[in-house]
């Protein structure tokens, strides 16, 4: 995570010819995304410890598997979209899949 923050600092204070407002918006969006992922991770650990009565080792293993799967699925979806299907069709399929899974769990 520290490496990603250094990338943000490099984008913000780099000597590139981009507009300063775009640098600030990129760093802000990336920081908010990191904050959201960290918040979901902490909430998942607390849920597993308190509600599911998991021990620390199994809760951390489950959270590590969840993070790895979520990051791996974005890479797989991007490579499928870039190579085979196209950006629009991939977005539509994954959004439909997301809505079906989200409403199935309610």
């Amino acid at each position: 995570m520290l490496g990603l923050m250094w990338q943000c600092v490099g984008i913000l204070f780099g000597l590139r010819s981009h507009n300063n407002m775009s640098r600030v918006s990129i760093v802000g969006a990336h920081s908010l995304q990191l904050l959201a992922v960290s918040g979901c991770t902490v909430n998942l650990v607390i849920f597993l410890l308190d509600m599911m009565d998991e021990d620390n080792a199994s809760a951390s293993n489950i959270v590590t598997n969840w993070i790895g799967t979520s990051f791996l699925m974005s890479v797989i979806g991007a490579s499928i979209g870039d190579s085979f299907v196209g950006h629009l069709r991939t977005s539509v399929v994954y959004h439909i899949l997301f809505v079906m899974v989200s409403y199935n769990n309610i």
Side-chain angles (χ1 to χ4, degrees), residues 3-4 6 10 16 22 27 30-31 34 42 47 50 56 60 62-63 66 75-76 91 95:
L4 292 174
W6 280 114
R16 297 184 180 151
S22 64
V27 171
H30 189 67
S31 300
L34 286 175
V42 169
F47 174 76
D50 291 343
N56 288 336
S60 65
I62 291 169
V63 170
W66 174 74
V75 171
I76 290 172
S91 275
H95 280 91

Side-chain angles (χ1 to χ4, degrees), residues 15-67:
L15 297 175
R16 297 184 180 151
S17 62
H18 297 292
N19 188 0
N20 282 336
M21 194 61 189
S22 64
R23 290 180 188 175
V24 171
S25 63
I26 288 171
V27 171
H30 189 67
S31 300
L32 290 176
Q33 185 259 341
L34 286 175
L35 184 67
V37 169
S38 299
C40 288
T41 304
V42 169
N43 284 339
L44 182 59
V45 169
I46 292 171
F47 174 76
L48 289 171
L49 291 175
D50 291 343
M51 299 294 175
M52 301 299 287
D53 294 327
E54 298 282 340
D55 57 345
N56 288 336
S58 64
S60 65
N61 190 16
I62 291 169
V63 170
T64 304
N65 291 339
W66 174 74
I67 291 172

